[in-house]
Amino acid sequence: MGGIIWIIVVGFVAGIIARLLSPGPNNPSGFILTTVLGIAGAFLATFIGQAIGHYGPNQGAGFITATIGALVVLFIWNRLVASGTLRDFNR
């Protein structure tokens, strides 16, 4: 149970930092979406890190790489909203 809480806390903090570093009108907002953004970034960073051999099979991304992953997810989100593929939730 403590591991899940730790994932949520790290995901939330990584999501907040990613949103602060990449401000925009179509950022996902709210506690849940910010946490999902950070967790998705951590999963993306772990997947890429394991694919290139930086992490072992049982290792996950660290806080910094989770934040970088969240920035990548946020960039993709912004591009999908800008192209009209996704609807902007703030409008």
Side-chain angles (χ1 to χ4, degrees):
M1 184 67 174
I4 293 172
I5 293 173
W6 181 249
I7 289 171
I8 291 171
V9 169
V10 169
F12 181 67
V13 173
I16 285 177
I17 292 173
R19 287 182 55 211
L20 289 174
L21 292 175
S22 176
N26 53 7
N27 285 339
S29 59
F31 174 76
I32 303 271
L33 287 178
T34 301
T35 304
V36 169
L37 170 69
I39 292 172
F43 278 117
L44 177 68
T46 299
F47 175 75
I48 292 173
Q50 287 177 350
I52 64 173
H54 186 67
Y55 298 122
N58 294 327
Q59 289 180 316
F63 177 73
I64 294 172
T65 52
T67 303
I68 293 169
L71 280 168
V72 171
V73 170
L74 190 57
F75 175 78
I76 293 169
W77 175 282
N78 287 334
R79 293 295 93 212
L80 290 173
V81 169
S83 69
T85 304
L86 289 177
R87 183 177 65 89
D88 187 0
F89 292 113
N90 294 330
R91 291 184 190 182

